[in-house]
Amino acid sequence: MSKATPRRRLDVVVISDVHLGTYGCHAAELLRYLRSVRPKVLVLNGDIVDIWQFSKNYWPPAHMRVVRHLVGLLAKGTRIHYLTGNHDELLRRFAGTRLGALSIANKVVLDLPHGKTWLFHGDVFDVTMRHARWLARLGAHGYDTLILLNRLVNFLLAKVGRPAGGAVEGGEKPGEGSREFDGRL
């Protein structure tokens, strides 16, 4: 982003489920967005770093650029609330920790112009997380495997001159199922 492009000044930005450290993370897109805004308060609402899938073997430069940008926001005075989620649940033991403008918590209540707003990660409602944690972790590993498989298939399709596709695609055109569903609402 060029320095001439003004950043949108926002009171609060909430970001969730980034999953840094995984193949499915869209770190470059996130960084592009973060560079376009100047929030007073940034809420990182769980699963920012995917500790379940974390591997020292996979931490691309784009993921590190996101972390550096977040540190830069802290240095410029943005208050950051890191709320824990299921994929970064190991951080729950640090709930209540404050490091300058950074706080780690399980939930936060923000006093906004329209009233108080309670924010927390949605895993508190996930029955699987409460009763079959192993199944949730298995699903996370399966998802990462599908992401890798999808990249391989798209690479092979590109080699034979075909357009890339999603790992899960039906026979319908994109949007047809969603239009049908929307019509029932």
Side-chain angles (χ1 to χ4, degrees):
M1 172 175 250
S2 75
K3 299 220 184 254
T5 305
R7 294 179 180 192
R8 291 179 301 145
R9 294 189 180 276
L10 300 170
D11 290 332
V12 179
V13 169
V14 180
I15 295 173
S16 179
D17 294 278
V18 174
H19 296 271
L20 290 170
T22 65
Y23 297 105
C25 177
H26 294 275
E29 293 87 344
L30 173 60
L31 187 59
R32 191 175 320 117
Y33 172 73
L34 287 172
R35 287 178 174 162
S36 75
V37 296
R38 178 69 187 232
K40 292 179 186 173
V41 175
L42 174 60
V43 179
L44 300 174
N45 192 12
D47 297 352
I48 303 305
V49 175
D50 195 322
I51 295 174
W52 285 5
Q53 302 286 1
F54 186 78
S55 165
K56 291 187 279 185
N57 298 325
Y58 186 76
W59 189 265
H63 295 210
M64 196 63 213
R65 283 191 291 275
V66 169
V67 172
R68 283 190 194 118
H69 189 79
L70 294 174
V71 171
L73 287 174
L74 281 169
K76 292 175 185 167
T78 298
R79 284 184 303 143
I80 298 181
H81 299 281
Y82 192 116
L83 305 183
T84 58
N86 49 319
H87 290 256
D88 49 17
E89 66 186 337
L90 293 174
L91 296 176
R92 287 193 170 130
R93 70 178 77 166
F94 300 105
T97 300
R98 292 190 64 92
L99 298 166
L102 172 68
S103 65
I104 300 172
N106 296 324
K107 61 184 180 267
V108 66
V109 178
L110 298 179
D111 196 8
L112 300 176
H114 68 276
K116 293 188 182 288
T117 301
W118 185 23
L119 297 167
F120 51 89
H121 192 69
D123 68 307
V124 297
F125 298 113
D126 188 351
V127 175
T128 307
M129 279 300 300
R130 284 186 279 163
H131 302 294
R133 191 171 298 251
W134 66 271
L135 186 58
R137 287 182 184 246
L138 179 64
H141 286 285
Y143 177 78
D144 236 22
T145 302
L146 281 176
I147 292 293
L148 286 172
L149 182 61
N150 188 51
R151 286 188 179 176
L152 174 64
V153 167
N154 285 338
F155 172 77
L156 295 173
L157 286 171
K159 286 288 186 190
V160 296
R162 303 274 315 264
V168 180
E169 286 201 16
E172 63 188 29
K173 293 178 185 169
E176 283 183 353
S178 61
R179 276 194 300 274
E180 180 182 307
F181 178 75
D182 290 341
R184 291 180 295 187
L185 292 178

